[in-house]
């Protein structure tokens, strides 16, 4: 379990899909909207993949960009 506030970046291949406030640039992105609705209902989806940086923060490493983004937007404190 990691603190969502300790996630400071997304996968380099996906970073351009998101705004500075962690929202998805495509408001109609079905995956992002689905995860948003699931998280609002309290349904959490599979753990995300992260890499820890030397300063103790994390960035999404491959799988989990949508989940990290939605968690940031909703103010969810932790993710697996």
């Amino acid at each position: 379990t990691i603190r969502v506030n300790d996630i400071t970046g997304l996968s380099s291949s996906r970073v351009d899909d998101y705004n500075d406030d962690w929202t998805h640039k495509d408001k109609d992105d079905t995956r992002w909207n689905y995860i948003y609705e699931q998280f609002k209902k309290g349904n959490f989806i599979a753990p995300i993949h992260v890499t820890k940086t030397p300063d103790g923060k994390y960035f999404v490493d491959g799988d989990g960009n949508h989940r990290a983004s939605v968690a940031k937007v909703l103010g969810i404190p932790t993710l697996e």
Side-chain angles (χ1 to χ4, degrees):
T1 302
I2 62 169
R3 292 175 8 114
V4 172
N5 284 342
D6 288 340
I7 302 171
T8 59
L10 299 171
S11 298
S12 60
S13 63
R14 301 299 304 269
V15 72
D16 291 334
D17 294 343
Y18 297 88
N19 296 306
D20 290 341
D21 65 357
W22 292 78
T23 56
H24 202 285
K25 286 183 178 177
D26 178 1
K27 301 284 188 221
D28 296 321
D29 184 83
T30 54
R31 177 92 174 124
W32 197 94
N33 290 321
Y34 171 78
I35 292 170
Y36 182 87
E37 290 303 320
Q38 292 302 306
F39 276 18
K40 282 184 64 174
K41 293 177 185 176
N43 300 327
F44 295 94
I45 304 169
I48 65 172
H49 297 190
V50 296
T51 295
K52 191 172 187 176
T53 62
D55 64 356
K57 303 295 183 181
Y58 300 89
F59 68 89
V60 179
D61 187 14
D63 187 37
N65 293 288
H66 287 84
R67 284 167 276 164
S69 167
V70 171
K72 288 268 194 179
V73 169
L74 290 177
I76 293 170
T78 61
L79 286 174
E80 294 292 318

